[in-house]
């Protein structure tokens, strides 16, 4: 229900995008490979743009037809093709071809275009392709790295970043770790962004001890030290697994390493407490922040309001809403939804509906989470008419149902003997792909089973 | 009220899930109804439910009831009228538990 936006994410990932030297990848061709274009490529409906932007040019992964397409494009373009032009074409082809075919096309480009000399970014296109292909070893990746070195281009931090990023993207975590160690040995260690990215991905799918030993290894062997962001990632990870003792230990380590916790760290710890419904501890964190002179941001307040609402302290949560407004922030959909969640938990769904009006009056648009929270609350309070109105509005807007609100709605309808309407909700859930067919059906089935029992006991109509 | 945890376990329980989505060999009346020899319990439910909707078999006065036509009767124990609420249970009858 009320969700906390991952406050620290922007801090970690946004800064990473800045150093991608590649052009935005061109879209993968949507057209199905046509037989006619295979033999006679020069029948393109679209002339290549003078800007050198390739739009889904390669329709077939076949190498010989790709070469023809390339020759055709080069012969028809008015301007002399530059490096970016070639990179874009190569990238476009790489998105559908095999690695070896891409390498062959690159060779073909070099042969036919003497003015074109591939640089690092060209090789990065191939590197990224080699990383993204499923493989049981790093041999393809090493092949490209060797190709780079043979062409006189030493891998640098950008190379490392692209390789690691691509490997993580397709879930080759162990390979990513292996490669980072290899590259660090070859004097091309990752920078902090790459390192943190890898730590973050490791946290997602490996045990904490694996992550710690990786960090220790990088520190002792290559002198790459964890920074504040690394610690934030670690703290977030242990908080998510509800291990707050470890989180506190990490905060201690962080202080010992000479870092001062910033807003993100505090928000993360607060989130940890809130997920465990420990409202008082969350307030403690808030007070500590104030003491340390760190200005709480909107995420801090949203987290606090969420946590207090969750632990049944809506009154206090509302107080923080006032403080939030006083300190110059604008409450957003998350703020309101958290509060509504709290009110619905107290059985005050009508109060939540009033809050919805207030929210809309203040120009804040409710999102699907808001509606789902309210729907859930209304059904729980057996306010079926209002609930069905809301459901109608959600349907009109094409909003998805969440598992909990779907189940509650189906159950509430069945309880009132409105089985046909429950079936209709089931149809909508399936049609709007809110849930998997299996989940939607088993909820319906279980509810109907329950209904039968309840009827036997005279509990339902 | 159904405990929150129960709902979750059904989709997480591989055995129950398999019971729902595994293809099963069908007895002859159902085979004729769906027009194929194998279907999952989930698939069968979808077929029957959409058949009811397409042919407007829900009772106009009480949508919770289904007036079975000839074809539907053949797979729903020959009942002339069934409740929507018992539909999953009736379909389940054609999918007996397979002893290991």
């Amino acid at each position: 229900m009320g969700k906390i936006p991952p406050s620290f994410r922007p801090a970690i990932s946004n800064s990473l995008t800045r150093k991608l030297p590649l052009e935005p990848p061109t879209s993968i061709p949507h057209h199905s490979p046509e037989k006619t274009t295979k033999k006679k490529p020069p029948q393109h409906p679209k002339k290549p743009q003078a800007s050198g932007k390739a739009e889904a040019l390669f329709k077939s992964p076949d190498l010989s037809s790709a070469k023809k397409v390339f020759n055709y494009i080069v012969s028809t373009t008015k301007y002399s093709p530059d490096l970016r032009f070639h990179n874009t074409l190569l990238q476009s082809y790489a998105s559908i071809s095999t690695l070896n075919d891409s390498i062959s096309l690159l060779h073909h480009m070099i042969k036919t275009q003497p003015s074109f000399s591939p640089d690092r970014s060209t090789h990065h296109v191939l590197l990224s392709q080699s990383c993204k292909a499923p493989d049981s070893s790093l041999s393809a990746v090493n092949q490209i790295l060797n190709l780079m070195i043979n062409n006189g281009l030493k891998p640098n931090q950008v190379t490392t970043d692209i390789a690691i990023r691509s490997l993580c993207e397709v879930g080759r975590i162990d390979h990513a770790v292996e490669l980072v160690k290899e590259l660090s040995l070859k004097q091309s260690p990752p920078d902090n962004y790459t390192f943190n990215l890898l730590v973050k991905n490791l946290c997602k799918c490996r045990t904490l001890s694996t992550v710690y030993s990786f960090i220790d290894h990088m520190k002792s062997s290559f002198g790459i030290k964890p920074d504040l962001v690394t610690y934030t990632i670690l703290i977030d990870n242990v908080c998510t697994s509800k291990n707050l003792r470890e989180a506190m230990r990490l905060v201690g380590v962080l202080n010992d390493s000479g870092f001062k916790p910033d807003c993100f760290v505090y928000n993360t710890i607060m989130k940890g407490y809130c997920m465990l419904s420990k409202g008082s501890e969350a307030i403690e964190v808030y007070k500590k922040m104030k003491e340390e002179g760190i200005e709480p941001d909107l995420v801090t307040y949203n987290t606090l309001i969420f946590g207090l609402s969750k632990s049944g302290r809506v009154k206090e949560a509302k107080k923080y809403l006032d403080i939030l407004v006083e300190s110059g922030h604008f409450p957003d959909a998350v703020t309101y939804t958290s509060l509504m969640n709290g009110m619905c938990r107290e059985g005050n769904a009508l109060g939540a509906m009033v809050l919805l009006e207030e929210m809309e009056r203040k120009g804040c648009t409710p999102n699907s989470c808001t509606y789902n929270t309210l729907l859930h609350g209304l059904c729980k309070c057996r306010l079926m008419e209002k609930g069905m109105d809301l459901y109608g509005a959600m349907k009109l807007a094409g909003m998805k149902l969440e598992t909990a609100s779907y189940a509650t709605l189906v159950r509430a309808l069945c309880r009132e003997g409105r089985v046909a309407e429950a079936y209709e909700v089931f149809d909508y859930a399936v049609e709007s792909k809110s849930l998997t067919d299996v989940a939607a059906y088993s909820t319906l089935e279980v509810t109907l089973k329950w209904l039968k029992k309840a009827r036997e006991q005279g509990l339902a109509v | 009220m159904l405990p929150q945890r129960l709902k979750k376990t059904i989709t997480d329980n591989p055995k129950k899930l398999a019971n729902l989505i595994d293809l099963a060999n069908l007895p002859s009346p159902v085979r004729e109804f769906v027009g194929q020899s194998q279907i999952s319990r989930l698939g069968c439910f979808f077929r029957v439910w959409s058949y009811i909707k397409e042919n407007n078999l829900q009772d106009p006065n009480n949508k919770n009831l289904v007036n079975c036509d000839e074809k539907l009767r053949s797979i729903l124990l020959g009942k002339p009228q069934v409740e929507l609420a018992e539909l999953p249970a009736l379909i389940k009858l054609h999918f007996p538990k397979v002893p290991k």
Side-chain angles (χ1 to χ4, degrees):
Chain A
M1 310 245 55
K3 280 181 188 141
I4 311 177
S7 51
F8 34 84
R9 282 255 157 88
I12 298 160
S13 46
N14 280 0
S15 40
L16 286 164
T17 43
R18 67 169 168 81
K19 52 204 218 47
L20 281 181
L22 292 176
E23 303 216 32
T26 45
S27 58
I28 301 162
H30 301 296
H31 316 276
S32 53
E34 287 168 44
K35 284 263 160 17
T36 45
T37 50
K38 237 180 176 176
K39 287 285 152 206
K40 285 187 263 171
Q43 281 182 356
H44 270 290
K46 259 185 231 159
K47 294 228 165 181
Q49 304 292 304
S51 61
K53 208 171 161 80
E55 301 171 0
L57 291 160
F58 298 100
K59 293 194 172 74
S60 148
D62 181 59
L63 179 62
S64 57
S65 66
K67 281 181 183 172
K68 281 180 193 158
V69 171
F70 172 74
N71 292 345
Y72 170 74
I73 294 168
V74 169
S75 63
T76 49
T77 186
K78 279 178 244 163
Y79 302 94
S80 62
D82 59 358
L83 184 71
R84 286 181 78 173
F85 175 88
H86 284 105
N87 285 353
T88 313
L89 285 178
L90 187 62
Q91 169 113 36
S92 171
Y93 182 59
S95 65
I96 56 165
S97 70
T98 63
L99 183 62
N100 282 332
D101 280 351
S102 302
I103 297 173
S104 304
L105 184 69
L106 177 63
H107 286 316
H108 176 77
M109 285 177 169
I110 298 169
K111 231 191 294 167
T112 51
Q113 297 284 309
S115 62
F116 167 52
S117 67
D119 76 344
R120 240 187 216 108
S121 55
T122 318
H123 288 88
H124 286 163
V125 172
L126 296 176
L127 183 66
S128 163
Q129 189 190 6
S130 72
C131 290
K132 279 179 184 160
D135 200 345
S136 57
S137 75
L138 280 172
S139 58
V141 180
N142 281 324
Q143 183 193 352
I144 300 297
L145 288 174
N146 288 334
L147 185 75
M148 274 181 88
I149 294 165
N150 290 341
N151 291 346
L153 297 160
K154 221 175 140 291
N156 62 8
Q157 288 192 328
V158 179
T159 316
T160 313
D161 190 81
I162 285 173
I164 300 307
R165 190 171 297 274
S166 309
L167 285 171
C168 286
E169 229 170 75
V170 293
R172 296 170 67 184
I173 290 283
D174 289 328
H175 285 156
V177 172
E178 193 185 328
L179 189 68
V180 147
K181 289 179 181 167
E182 229 171 79
L183 285 170
S184 302
L185 276 177
K186 288 176 190 157
Q187 315 300 321
S188 173
D191 62 6
N192 274 333
Y193 296 100
T194 317
F195 179 66
N196 286 336
L197 175 92
L198 190 51
V199 170
K200 195 167 139 195
N201 277 288
L202 266 177
C203 279
K204 273 189 217 155
C205 52
R206 293 290 180 271
T207 59
L208 201 54
S209 55
T210 318
V211 181
Y212 284 162
S213 68
F214 171 71
I215 292 175
D216 282 343
H217 180 79
M218 294 306 283
K219 192 173 164 184
S220 57
S221 308
F222 311 114
I224 295 163
K225 286 188 194 129
D227 62 2
L228 193 57
V229 179
T230 321
Y231 282 114
T232 314
I233 293 169
L234 289 173
I235 293 173
D236 177 51
N237 181 47
V238 294
C239 280
T240 311
S241 51
K242 303 187 176 166
N243 187 353
L244 274 165
R245 213 173 55 178
E246 181 63 16
M248 286 304 127
R249 192 191 69 86
L250 281 168
V251 173
V253 175
L254 184 150
N255 281 320
D256 293 343
S257 325
F259 293 109
K260 204 169 167 289
D262 62 357
C263 195
F264 294 118
V265 176
Y266 280 118
N267 286 351
T268 311
I269 298 168
M270 196 189 272
K271 187 183 83 170
Y273 280 125
C274 287
M275 287 203 299
L276 293 173
S277 302
K278 290 191 169 177
S280 310
E281 281 86 347
I283 295 180
E284 283 304 310
V285 177
Y286 173 77
K287 285 183 179 154
K288 181 99 197 293
M289 270 178 98
K290 284 283 197 183
E291 264 171 41
E292 299 281 328
I294 287 161
E295 192 49 41
D297 62 0
L298 183 60
V299 178
T300 318
Y301 286 111
N302 278 352
T303 312
L304 199 55
I305 290 171
F306 168 80
L308 289 171
S309 301
K310 192 167 180 283
S311 42
R313 296 161 71 170
V314 182
K315 245 190 196 150
E316 286 166 81
K318 276 191 180 153
K319 202 181 78 193
Y320 282 100
L321 175 64
D322 294 338
I323 301 179
L324 181 159
V325 175
E326 272 168 33
S327 46
H329 296 289
F330 289 100
D332 63 1
V334 180
T335 325
Y336 283 115
T337 308
S338 304
L339 267 178
M340 287 175 194
N341 188 8
M343 295 167 94
C344 289
R345 271 166 200 270
E346 287 186 336
N348 184 9
L350 285 176
M353 289 300 280
V354 173
L355 193 60
L356 175 70
E357 279 167 31
E358 185 191 321
M359 167 181 181
E360 282 175 328
R361 207 175 44 240
K362 290 197 175 154
C364 180
T365 325
N367 58 22
S368 99
C369 194
T370 317
Y371 278 103
N372 272 295
T373 307
L374 286 170
L375 184 60
H376 184 77
L378 288 169
C379 291
K380 281 255 176 194
C381 298
R382 313 207 171 183
L383 296 164
M384 283 320 289
E385 286 325 304
K386 281 201 190 315
M388 285 309 277
D389 284 350
L390 197 75
Y391 167 69
M394 289 176 75
K395 230 174 109 169
L396 265 180
M399 275 178 195
K400 290 192 177 187
L401 293 169
E402 281 170 18
T403 315
S405 43
Y406 164 72
T408 322
L409 180 58
V410 166
R411 202 158 54 237
L413 283 170
C414 285
R415 194 200 299 119
E416 297 203 343
R418 296 159 78 172
V419 179
E421 285 170 82
Y423 269 66
E424 194 273 332
V425 174
F426 164 76
D427 278 344
Y428 178 70
V430 170
E431 187 195 321
S432 65
K433 296 201 165 54
S434 304
L435 291 85
T436 59
D437 292 1
V438 173
Y441 176 72
S442 36
T443 304
L444 182 69
E445 192 184 29
V446 169
T447 311
L448 292 175
K449 224 187 213 169
W450 164 82
L451 178 68
K452 196 175 159 229
K453 250 187 207 160
R455 274 177 180 169
E456 279 164 8
Q457 296 168 353
L459 294 174
V461 223
Chain B
M1 207 64 342
L2 205 63
Q4 200 83 12
R5 196 155 296 158
L6 191 65
K7 278 181 302 176
K8 206 172 144 36
T9 45
I10 286 153
T11 36
D12 287 350
N13 184 336
K15 243 189 199 165
K16 295 218 165 153
L17 185 64
N19 172 290
L20 200 53
I21 58 170
D22 277 358
L23 292 181
N25 293 318
L26 297 174
S28 53
V30 190
R31 193 176 308 178
E32 267 164 45
F33 183 87
V34 298
Q36 55 197 64
S37 64
Q38 282 189 325
I39 200 165
S40 68
R41 190 152 66 83
L42 184 63
C44 187
F45 172 81
F46 272 109
R47 283 292 181 83
V48 175
W49 172 227
S50 46
Y51 181 82
I52 293 172
K53 280 186 287 182
E54 276 162 25
N55 295 290
N56 291 321
L57 296 178
Q58 278 167 286
D59 193 301
N61 297 320
N62 181 357
K63 289 265 183 194
N64 294 344
L65 298 176
V66 179
N67 296 320
C68 300
D69 65 356
E70 197 76 13
K71 226 176 144 190
L72 202 57
R73 221 174 298 168
S74 68
I75 60 160
L76 299 179
L77 303 176
K79 291 187 179 184
Q81 196 178 54
V82 295
E83 275 192 60
L84 262 185
E86 49 179 349
L87 199 58
L90 286 172
I91 288 168
K92 205 172 180 178
L93 293 177
H94 295 293
F95 296 84
K97 264 189 196 157
V98 193
K100 266 194 181 170

